[in-house]
Amino acid sequence: MRTIIKNTRILLEDSVLYDHQVVLNGNLIERIISNEETVKDIDEVIDGENLYLSPGFIDIHNHGNSGFDTMDASLEGLESIAKYHLSNGVTSFLAATMTNPKEKIIKAAKNVAEYIKVQTNNQSRLLGIYLEGPYFNTIKKGAQPGDDIKDPDIEELKEFIDASNNTIKVVSLAPELNGAKEMIKYLRKNSIKVAIGHSNSEFTSANEAINLGATISTHLYNGMRAFTHREPGIIGACLTNSLLRTEIIADGIHLHKTAIDIAKLCKGTDNVILISDAMRAAGLPDGKYELGGQAVISEGGSARLLNGALAGSTLNLNLAVKNMVNLFDTSLVDAVKMASINPAKAIGYEGVIGSICAGKYADLLLFDEVVNIKHIIKDGKLLK
C-alpha cells in the first residue's frame, strides 16, 4: 500500500522543509517529493492540515507507566506500557530494568524477549532492554535498591544477556568499580552500548571509561558525583568528552534550566538525548506507588522515595519536547532531534528509525506549534 502525506511542515534533522510531500510504501518511507511532483498508484492521501510532520519519538530509558513496570515481568504490563508510549508519540523504546535480585532481573529479561516476539504494530515498538544496574556505586544509588548493588560480574552479565535472547541494548554501570573497565571492553566487543551513571567516579576514571567505549551518560547530573573546580568528576568527563552522548530528564524537576543550558553548550544539540526515566505512576493520578520494591509518592509531577530521593519521573517524551521548547529555550527542530535521531544514534538504530528519510520505518507524528499531537502514523498506518 502506498500513501502520500501532503500539506505539512516536515521536520528534518536540522531544518524544516516546506512545500514537499512524503510518500510511504507499506511500513517504510519511500521518498520526499516536491509539491509539484505527481505520483501514480497512491492508495491513500493523508492531509497534514499544515501541521508539523515529525519522526516518532524514541525513549531509550524508561521503567514503566500506566501502573506497570518492566520489573513486573508481565506481558500484559509491557503491552500497556507500549500503548501509553504510542499515545504520547513514542514509536520505539527500550524497557529499563533496575537493581534487584539476580533472579528478578533474569525473569524481567526473559519477559522482554518473549514480548518482542509477539508484539503488534499498533503500539510502540519495544527494541530491547536498558539494563540499569546492578553495577552501581551505593554512594550514588539514588532510587536503586542498595541491598542488591554489586561490582561488575561478567559471568552474571552473560546470564542476563542469555535470558534476554540478546536483546540487551544498553548496560549502565559505575566506571570506578572493580571490574568495570573489563566489563566495558566485553560489552563493546559484543556490540552492546555502555552507559555510565549512579557513580562517584573522579574525572580520570570516568574519562578512561569513555575512551574505552562508554558512549552514553545515564541521566546527566542525577546520580553523579558533584562537579567541583578541582575535581570535575564524572560530570566534567561527560560534558567534555566528545565520544559520549548524554541523557537528560527535562521535566523541570530533575534539572535546573542552567544545567540544561550547560549540557547543550558543552555537548551540542546533536549529543543530548531526551529520556523520560518514567516509572509506573506516569499517566496516573497522584498517589502512592512502588519502584524496585520501594514505596514512592507521586505528587505534582514528582516521584520520590519516602526519604525524599527522586525515584524516576512521571514524564513522557511528548511533554519533554514541549518543555525543551517552552521552558528551556530550545528550537522545535533541536528538541525533536533530541527525542528522535539522537537516541536512535545512541543505540545504533539510526539506519531504520529516528528521522524522515527514505528507507526508514514510517513512524511519524503530526502535531501543532505547541507540540500537541493530532495524528500518529505507525509502520505506515494512520492510527489516530
Side-chain angles (χ1 to χ4, degrees):
M1 179 173 175
R2 298 178 77 226
T3 303
I4 193 163
I5 308 172
K6 66 177 186 178
N7 189 23
T8 69
R9 292 170 278 179
I10 303 170
L11 286 163
L12 302 178
E13 291 184 30
D14 292 299
S15 62
V16 182
L17 183 63
Y18 300 90
D19 302 320
H20 281 69
Q21 307 170 87
V22 177
V23 182
L24 313 181
N25 193 340
N27 66 340
L28 300 177
I29 298 169
E30 182 178 298
R31 57 194 170 118
I32 300 174
I33 62 172
S34 70
N35 283 345
E36 287 71 35
E37 287 188 66
T38 58
V39 183
K40 296 180 180 179
D41 303 321
I42 292 295
D43 301 291
E44 182 182 11
V45 176
I46 297 174
D47 185 351
E49 304 165 357
N50 200 35
L51 298 166
Y52 285 101
L53 182 67
S54 165
F57 303 145
I58 304 164
D59 194 348
I60 66 169
H61 184 168
N62 61 97
H63 296 272
N65 56 56
S66 59
F68 294 97
D69 187 289
T70 302
M71 296 304 297
D72 296 341
S74 158
L75 293 177
E76 175 194 4
L78 290 178
E79 182 178 27
S80 182
I81 288 168
K83 287 179 178 178
Y84 177 84
H85 274 313
L86 190 60
S87 71
N88 289 286
V90 174
T91 52
S92 296
F93 72 104
L94 295 182
T97 60
M98 67 181 302
T99 301
N100 256 200
K102 172 181 169 180
E103 295 75 19
K104 288 190 175 183
I105 296 174
I106 287 175
K107 186 177 180 181
K110 287 181 176 178
N111 185 65
V112 169
E114 180 60 27
Y115 178 79
I116 288 173
K117 293 177 185 177
V118 301
Q119 64 183 327
T120 60
N121 291 336
N122 61 347
Q123 53 209 28
S124 188
R125 181 184 299 107
L126 177 52
L127 301 171
I129 294 170
Y130 187 117
L131 193 78
E132 190 181 12
Y135 312 122
F136 289 144
N137 193 319
T138 55
I139 295 173
K140 290 295 178 181
K141 64 184 178 67
Q144 299 281 330
D147 290 346
D148 297 301
I149 287 176
K150 62 186 74 171
D151 284 342
D153 181 338
I154 292 177
E155 293 307 310
E156 179 182 72
L157 176 67
K158 290 177 181 177
E159 293 186 61
F160 296 152
I161 294 170
D162 289 343
S164 78
N165 194 27
N166 296 304
T167 61
I168 292 177
K169 305 300 179 183
V170 180
V171 173
S172 179
L173 53 79
E176 71 273 20
L177 300 179
N178 293 328
K181 305 297 189 294
E182 291 74 19
M183 183 170 281
I184 292 170
K185 293 175 185 176
Y186 176 83
L187 289 165
R188 184 176 182 183
K189 182 180 178 181
N190 286 274
S191 301
I192 298 173
K193 304 300 182 184
V194 181
I196 52 175
H198 287 286
S199 164
N200 198 43
S201 174
E202 295 181 348
F203 177 84
T204 299
S205 180
N207 221 32
E208 286 175 359
I210 299 168
N211 293 333
L212 279 174
T215 57
I216 303 169
S217 72
T218 295
H219 42 55
L220 181 67
Y221 303 113
N222 296 112
M224 292 183 172
R225 179 191 186 104
F227 176 98
T228 71
H229 58 293
R230 291 194 179 92
E231 175 44 69
I234 183 173
I235 292 174
C238 290
L239 288 172
T240 59
N241 195 312
S242 63
L243 299 175
L244 183 133
R245 293 184 174 91
T246 188
E247 305 171 354
I248 62 170
I249 306 171
D251 60 355
I253 297 168
H254 279 76
L255 300 174
H256 190 279
K257 179 183 180 298
T258 299
I260 291 179
D261 289 343
I262 290 169
K264 290 194 296 181
L265 285 168
C266 290
K267 304 305 297 181
T269 57
D270 288 342
N271 294 305
V272 173
I273 302 164
L274 296 180
I275 62 165
S276 68
D277 196 21
M279 48 86 68
R280 70 174 77 243
L284 297 177
D286 288 353
K288 187 174 180 180
Y289 295 91
E290 176 270 344
L291 180 67
Q294 305 164 105
V296 175
I297 302 298
S298 173
E299 186 175 12
S302 175
R304 295 180 183 271
L305 300 181
L306 298 183
N307 65 8
L310 285 166
S313 84
T314 60
L315 186 66
N316 64 65
L317 230 52
N318 182 221
L319 181 55
V321 171
K322 287 184 180 183
N323 287 344
M324 289 302 293
V325 174
N326 297 323
L327 302 180
F328 303 123
D329 299 332
T330 306
S331 72
L332 178 60
V333 168
D334 284 340
V336 168
K337 179 167 61 175
M338 293 173 186
S340 55
I341 192 61
N342 291 2
K345 288 178 178 178
I347 60 174
Y349 275 75
E350 68 272 23
V352 291
I353 55 176
S355 62
I356 301 175
C357 183
K360 295 191 180 185
Y361 284 125
D363 297 343
L364 304 165
L365 310 174
L366 284 160
F367 53 68
D368 62 20
E369 287 82 358
V370 290
V371 204
N372 291 320
I373 297 172
K374 303 299 184 179
H375 302 287
I376 296 169
I377 298 166
K378 172 70 167 46
D379 285 309
K381 295 180 181 179
L382 182 63
L383 301 180
K384 173 185 176 182

